[in-house]
Amino acid sequence: MVQYTLVQSPEVILTVSGKDSAKAREKAMDQLMELMDAGKLPTDLSDGFGPDQFIEVKEQPMSPSPEEDAVTQAVQVLSNLANLKLKVQESRTEALQVRSKIDILFSDEPVNEDEISSLKEGFKVLKAYAQSNLRYREARAQAEQARAVLDQALHSTQ
């Protein structure tokens, strides 16, 4: 669909199927003639008017409202929280096992190289878990606000 208007009467909108073309402008011209014949055109076009003088009306894409932006951002925050929660859950068991082995470093018991190597590898898991857990806690605090935004948006429709 394409829409046209006139410089002399911008409130008049003529809608024609198809895209902007000479044929579409001729169809709009036919509509304009019908309006003139019915006396419904508020403008006098006695000086003449041609199809090439139509102005194509382009619809402006609607920008989202601040409320819509807030909802979109809230959903992103909650999605991030869900991903972090899964990551924390997946690495928790392994990290706790590594944590329990750390105590051998503080005892007077002898340790061998394999135990130390195993611990060093485990530190990577422990570090990843601890960082994910911190990010999860921060995200959870932000998610409380996001949940409130969504609750407000959902209740506003009732």
Side-chain angles (χ1 to χ4, degrees):
M1 296 288 240
V2 64
Q3 295 180 323
Y4 298 106
T5 190
L6 318 170
V7 171
Q8 300 87 340
S9 297
E11 70 279 2
V12 175
I13 304 288
L14 305 170
T15 304
V16 180
S17 62
K19 296 181 180 179
D20 182 29
S21 65
K23 187 175 180 180
R25 287 175 178 268
E26 285 298 327
K27 288 180 184 177
M29 194 67 187
D30 291 342
Q31 287 182 20
L32 180 63
M33 295 301 288
E34 287 175 21
L35 286 174
M36 288 173 64
D37 291 345
K40 295 181 181 177
L41 188 66
T43 304
D44 179 26
L45 299 176
S46 58
D47 295 337
F49 187 84
D52 57 327
Q53 292 175 296
F54 280 119
I55 299 170
E56 184 180 356
V57 177
K58 301 216 181 215
E59 288 189 39
Q60 298 295 323
M62 291 186 54
S63 58
S65 68
E67 292 85 9
E68 287 177 285
D69 285 341
V71 167
T72 300
Q73 189 172 359
V75 169
Q76 289 172 342
V77 166
L78 291 169
S79 177
N80 183 46
L81 178 67
N83 290 335
L84 286 170
K85 184 172 181 126
L86 278 177
K87 193 173 186 178
V88 166
Q89 285 177 349
E90 290 170 356
S91 60
R92 184 175 194 274
T93 303
E94 192 176 356
L96 291 177
Q97 288 172 350
V98 172
R99 171 59 187 92
S100 68
K101 292 177 185 176
I102 290 175
D103 292 338
I104 65 169
L105 295 174
F106 296 95
S107 72
D108 292 333
E109 300 292 319
V111 292
N112 62 38
E113 280 188 48
D114 290 338
E115 290 174 315
I116 297 297
S117 292
S118 174
L119 264 178
K120 286 182 180 181
E121 286 298 314
F123 289 155
K124 295 174 188 173
V125 172
L126 201 55
K127 178 183 172 187
Y129 169 74
Q131 289 174 335
S132 294
N133 196 32
L134 288 173
R135 284 194 295 268
Y136 170 72
R137 288 181 185 177
E138 289 174 21
R140 189 167 175 176
Q142 291 176 349
E144 291 295 335
Q145 290 176 320
R147 180 168 51 177
V149 168
L150 282 178
D151 285 347
Q152 184 179 1
L154 292 172
H155 290 296
S156 67
T157 59
Q158 295 178 345

